Amino acid sequence: MAIVYGGDYNPEQWPREVWAEDMRLMREAGVNRVSLGIFSWAKLEPEEGRFEFDWFDEVIDLLAANGVEICLATPTASPPPWFAATYPEALPVDAEGRRLTHGSRQGFDPSSDVYKTAALRITEQVGRRYHGHPAVKLWHIHNEYGCHNARSHSPAATAKFRLWLRERYGDLDGLNEAWGTAFWSQAYSSWDQVYTPLPTPTIPNPGHVLDFKRFSSWQLLQLYKAEAELLRSIDPDKPMTTNFMTGNHPDIDLWEFAEAVDVVSNDHYLEGPAGHVNLGFAADYTRSLGGGAPWILMEHSTSAVNWQGRNRAKAPRELLRNSFAHLARGADAVMFFQWRASRQGAEKWHSGMVPHVGTDSKIWREVRELGARLGELDEIEGSRVHADAAILWDYQNLWAQEHEAKPTADLDVKAVRESCYAALWRAGITTDVAHPEGDLSGYRLVVVPAVYLMSEAAARNLKHFVASGGTVLVTPYSGIADETDTVYLGGYPGAISDLVGVRTEEFYPLIGETVALASGGTGSVWSEAAEAKGAEVRDTYLDGTPAWTVNRFGEGTAHYLTTFVDDDTLDRVLAAAASDARVEPAADAPVGVEVVRRSHDDGRSWLFCINHTEADTQVKTDTATVDVPAGEVVVHAEHA
Ligand code: GLA
């Protein structure tokens, strides 16, 4: 089978005459699949209960006649204006209690039953009409759950939050204990007293806020499941997905969503100068969410996006490097938002496969080249990426750390994860992303980036991993509180103090300063009064306080840092941990040259070499030397 290639197709934005040209250009570019109907609700149901499908029939038949398969969306991410006008109570309410209005997208309250009814009605219509169409290969449910409206404070949300809490804690005693309401006289004596976290005079209860984030994610998942269940009853065998945002989306728990989809798909957009490194994380995380199975890159951009402060066009060949990096890390589909750049609307400055300027353009030439190259890589479809290393990542930990009252406002868990992942990327170590309670038995090295919220089960999991011979690299602010955000006692990091062989009495966050290390490196953001309790001290602050410790634990080894070290120092620490773990890069490549291997069980394998530098270079494996020109991608078949 072919690698899937295409993008979001929004023909309703264009006059009919353009559709024929779209088909011709899709053939020219080698497009074999589009996502259709994502934002078509208003055109499919212009008034409540009145459906217009003729135009959609035409588009679907046109695509089919041109050999383009369809990933058919339920258009429920953007209810039409009639919905807001008829059911204003179904609009989301923000944390200040303001009811939002129509005029953008995702204008619905996730807890609204009125919304759910309307969403299921259009889903059923689309499902019944097109499930048997031979070109429809996959259901694309909704679009980016929680992208804009994850947390609503409507009366409906309040009522459902209470029910969710009852289910979780059984009774008010359970709730009061979990939230620690003995503090500041917050004990609840009736469920009616519990609201979504609204503005308070000062610091709100952390357990309350964290549970609201969990509830909000769960509520969106119920909407996914309702649509999926309905479609399943109409079309039992077709796979379903919804597009995640593993790169930067903090509002839904993707580990939970991933269990509900048949195939994992992801949207990724570059941010900042090291965007291609974050791309690696996002792709690795997407693959890991699906347990290593090939996945769908549902959206990325051919060039600029429209929602950043400054939206830079991609450099020549960057489109190709980005696309191949996703492919290298396990995608079997490379798709873009969107086919044709819009002339109007909120995203008119977002690039497309067909840019405003037309086909005499860098973008179109690269789109065609990509299509042609993917067309020659059929064999790769279904192959997998193997990783000996994993980095832990969990949304609930992120949400807990968003709370305002903490040792330092400078500690950003996302930045910690990014810096740890960047070190793995620089070292060329292929990495999975694992849940703290997930199965770690397939790994030899696990990186623990500020996993502050660590359940007892997660702590046991890590200890079991190391005791059985694994190596961990743990950063500060890990293992501090359990899943109710209750601090572990007896010395930090309380959940894993025995694992790392360190006991810390107090934290000394750094305030605009750095701490010098005996090795010559520096630490920033954080320092702590750590004492080695059995661990070997490899590096110290100048006053002798341990900065880097190594502890033997059972058959394995735990590296622990007590400050956030500079990149060179982190590279050294990671190299030591990787050597303990006997983990090696996919190939021998200079920094800035990305190397990842995909292989089939039968021994066929490909080394993807992506040169992000401006110098021609070579990548070496045990059996080959591969020339990789500046800025280029080489896919090297390693089998005969
Ligand atoms: C998301 C959405 C698309 C589009 C792009 C623009 O990924 O799913 O509809 O808005 O962002 O970057």
Side-chain angles (χ1 to χ4, degrees):
M1 272 185 11
I3 299 291
V4 165
Y5 184 48
D8 284 13
Y9 184 39
N10 298 306
E12 63 269 45
Q13 295 177 16
W14 297 90
R16 241 188 196 75
E17 310 81 82
V18 176
W19 300 355
E21 194 198 34
D22 286 338
M23 297 306 117
R24 181 178 66 72
L25 291 177
M26 282 183 197
R27 284 200 310 274
E28 185 177 315
V31 165
N32 55 22
R33 186 177 292 186
V34 294
S35 296
L36 187 70
I38 297 172
F39 296 109
S40 303
W41 193 346
K43 195 139 168 81
L44 293 174
E45 189 181 3
E47 288 170 53
E48 184 166 16
R50 183 167 70 77
F51 300 97
E52 283 187 0
F53 281 113
D54 291 354
W55 71 276
F56 212 53
D57 292 349
E58 200 182 319
V59 171
I60 288 179
D61 289 342
L62 204 55
L63 287 164
N66 283 277
V68 180
E69 295 178 346
I70 297 163
C71 169
L72 190 56
T74 64
T76 54
S78 199
W82 61 254
F83 176 77
T86 317
Y87 306 108
E89 73 279 14
L91 288 161
V93 175
D94 74 8
E96 274 75 49
R98 290 176 307 178
R99 179 84 60 191
L100 306 184
T101 59
H102 181 78
S104 180
R105 65 175 173 183
Q106 288 194 346
F108 66 89
D109 167 18
S111 293
S112 162
D113 288 334
V114 173
Y115 165 73
K116 188 170 156 189
T117 302
L120 291 182
R121 186 175 50 215
I122 186 69
T123 295
E124 180 165 11
Q125 290 285 330
V126 173
R128 290 208 183 286
R129 193 167 183 102
Y130 299 110
H131 72 95
H133 198 291
V136 175
K137 299 294 181 194
L138 177 75
W139 289 111
H140 177 308
I141 294 183
H142 199 85
N143 191 65
E144 292 186 344
Y145 275 98
C147 186
H148 316 294
N149 65 343
R151 294 176 191 152
S152 175
H153 298 259
S154 63
T158 307
K160 291 200 171 157
F161 183 41
R162 289 174 186 157
L163 289 175
W164 182 87
L165 290 167
R166 275 178 187 241
E167 185 69 27
R168 186 174 175 88
Y169 296 115
D171 56 23
L172 283 170
D173 288 347
L175 176 100
N176 282 316
E177 192 184 323
W179 290 3
T181 57
F183 187 78
W184 278 356
S185 181
Q186 292 176 347
Y188 293 94
S189 58
S190 157
W191 289 102
D192 301 345
Q193 298 157 5
V194 183
Y195 286 85
T196 63
L198 296 166
T200 44
T202 183
I203 306 170
N205 179 302
H208 180 192
V209 176
L210 177 57
D211 269 348
F212 178 63
K213 292 173 179 174
R214 288 177 171 137
F215 157 77
S216 300
S217 172
W218 173 88
Q219 182 62 69
L220 286 164
L221 182 56
Q222 303 321 299
L223 290 177
Y224 173 84
K225 285 183 174 171
E227 286 194 30
E229 207 173 291
L230 174 60
L231 285 174
R232 186 88 63 211
S233 71
I234 298 168
D235 193 2
D237 299 324
K238 204 161 285 149
M240 297 177 198
T241 191
T242 186
N243 42 348
F244 296 162
M245 298 168 77
T246 53
N248 56 8
H249 198 311
D251 290 346
I252 59 173
D253 188 332
L254 293 178
W255 290 112
E256 289 176 356
F257 265 77
E259 284 178 16
V261 300
D262 297 323
V263 53
V264 172
S265 63
N266 194 50
D267 300 346
H268 183 264
Y269 293 96
L270 291 186
E271 281 183 81
H276 58 283
V277 178
N278 180 258
L279 183 161
F281 172 81
D284 290 343
Y285 184 21
T286 309
R287 179 184 69 247
S288 305
L289 285 166
W295 51 277
I296 297 170
L297 176 64
M298 192 65 89
E299 297 177 17
H300 70 150
S301 68
T302 57
S303 192
V305 299
N306 66 306
W307 43 267
Q308 295 169 355
R310 287 147 206 90
N311 298 295
R312 195 184 61 87
K314 285 190 179 177
R317 320 299 288 164
E318 201 174 356
L319 180 166
L320 291 145
R321 291 195 294 278
N322 295 162
S323 297
F324 276 99
H326 287 289
L327 191 72
R329 293 175 188 277
D332 269 0
V334 177
M335 303 178 76
F336 294 93
F337 175 84
Q338 57 181 328
W339 166 248
R340 229 177 232 283
S342 304
R343 298 183 68 191
Q344 295 176 303
E347 302 199 301
K348 63 179 176 294
W349 291 115
H350 195 292
S351 55
M353 296 173 80
V354 183
H356 290 157
V357 68
T359 52
D360 182 8
S361 57
K362 172 200 81 174
I363 290 180
W364 182 250
R365 282 186 286 277
E366 293 191 11
V367 161
R368 276 181 43 164
E369 179 179 338
L370 178 59
R373 289 178 71 175
L374 293 177
E376 289 167 4
L377 294 174
D378 296 11
E379 240 195 299
I380 285 177
E381 200 251 1
S383 62
R384 295 212 172 201
V385 176
H386 174 79
D388 291 324
I391 185 166
L392 300 186
W393 183 247
D394 168 28
Y395 283 92
Q396 309 203 6
N397 171 49
L398 168 71
W399 296 338
Q401 292 193 53
E402 285 166 351
H403 196 266
E404 66 197 83
K406 51 192 171 188
T408 172
D410 297 332
L411 201 170
D412 171 1
V413 56
K414 214 176 135 203
V416 177
R417 181 205 78 199
E418 279 167 1
S419 109
C420 290
Y421 182 84
L424 289 156
W425 194 95
R426 286 192 295 274
I429 294 174
T430 306
T431 306
D432 278 351
V433 179
H435 188 277
E437 294 178 17
D439 179 7
L440 303 177
S441 60
Y443 305 115
R444 295 210 291 268
L445 173 67
V446 170
V447 178
V448 184
V451 183
Y452 155 89
L453 200 81
M454 188 182 284
S455 66
E456 288 181 14
R460 271 199 307 276
N461 195 35
L462 270 188
K463 288 178 200 178
H464 175 72
F465 169 72
V466 179
S468 334
T471 300
V472 285
L473 168 53
V474 182
T475 83
Y477 214 47
S478 298
I480 304 294
D482 72 10
E483 66 269 36
T484 63
D485 206 355
T486 302
V487 174
Y488 289 105
L489 301 180
Y492 315 114
I496 48 168
S497 185
D498 54 343
L499 172 64
V500 297
V502 168
R503 178 176 179 273
T504 288
E505 287 194 20
E506 288 184 281
F507 305 139
Y508 294 88
L510 301 169
I511 304 170
E513 55 200 321
T514 54
V515 60
L517 306 182
S519 61
T522 51
S524 57
V525 175
W526 186 267
S527 69
E528 58 187 59
E531 208 188 322
K533 292 280 185 191
E536 172 203 340
V537 178
R538 292 260 175 104
D539 199 357
T540 63
Y541 310 162
L542 295 185
D543 67 4
T545 303
W548 170 22
T549 59
V550 183
N551 194 42
R552 287 293 295 172
F553 186 84
E555 299 293 306
T557 308
H559 291 250
Y560 182 59
L561 291 167
T562 70
T563 180
F564 294 104
V565 295
D566 63 276
D567 285 352
D568 287 348
T569 307
L570 187 58
D571 288 347
R572 265 194 300 117
V573 172
L574 176 65
S579 149
D580 289 344
R582 301 177 321 284
V583 168
E584 294 192 338
D588 186 5
V591 171
V593 180
E594 192 173 352
V595 282
V596 189
R597 179 171 286 110
R598 281 187 72 161
S599 37
H600 285 293
D601 287 346
D602 61 12
R604 283 172 301 153
S605 76
W606 294 263
L607 186 71
F608 285 75
C609 309
I610 305 167
N611 188 347
H612 296 274
T613 77
E614 288 172 8
D616 296 347
T617 191
Q618 291 186 325
V619 167
K620 295 195 172 93
T621 68
D622 292 345
T623 52
T625 298
V626 184
D627 290 317
V628 193
E632 292 297 333
V633 177
V634 175
V635 184
H636 170 70
E638 296 183 298
H639 46 280

